[in-house]
């Protein structure tokens, strides 16, 4: 994956001095918003592509996680509240990044 870099101030000033904004030529500056930060676009795509397979996959993950988490909570090795909170937060983040 290519690393995202912003143009330096000098590059932007040199670009503006070439008067490409007024001439109507295509602008070749990199996109200032990395794809993983485009939350509206990702939410729209997730809403468009949400299917029964996605829902059943989520339920399958819950069926694996909940019994293990309950047994660790009863043993005293894990906190149920913080595990569910941070697990849900992590699922939301990975959904936006990879979804």
């Amino acid at each position: 994956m290519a690393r995202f870099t912003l143009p330096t101030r000098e590059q932007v000033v040199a670009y503006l001095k070439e008067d490409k904004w007024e001439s109507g030529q295509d602008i070749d500056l990199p996109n200032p918003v990395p794809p993983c930060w485009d939350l509206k676009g990702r939410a729209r795509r997730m809403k468009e592509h949400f299917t029964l397979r996605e829902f059943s996959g989520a339920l399958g993950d819950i069926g694996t996680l909940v019994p293990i988490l309950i047994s660790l909570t009863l043993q005293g090795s894990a906190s149920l509240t913080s595990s569910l909170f941070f697990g849900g937060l992590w699922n939301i983040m990975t959904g936006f990044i990879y979804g």
Side-chain angles (χ1 to χ4, degrees), residues 46-93:
M46 285 174 27
K47 184 179 178 182
E48 291 171 356
H49 298 292
F50 186 77
T51 61
L52 185 60
R53 296 175 90 184
E54 293 286 335
F55 186 68
S56 63
L59 289 179
D61 291 343
I62 289 174
T64 304
L65 175 69
V66 170
I68 294 171
L69 192 56
I70 289 175
S71 63
L72 287 174
T73 303
L74 292 176
Q75 182 186 4
S77 299
S79 169
L80 183 64
T81 307
S82 62
S83 297
L84 289 176
F85 177 77
F86 287 109
L89 186 65
W90 183 254
N91 282 337
I92 291 170
M93 286 178 15

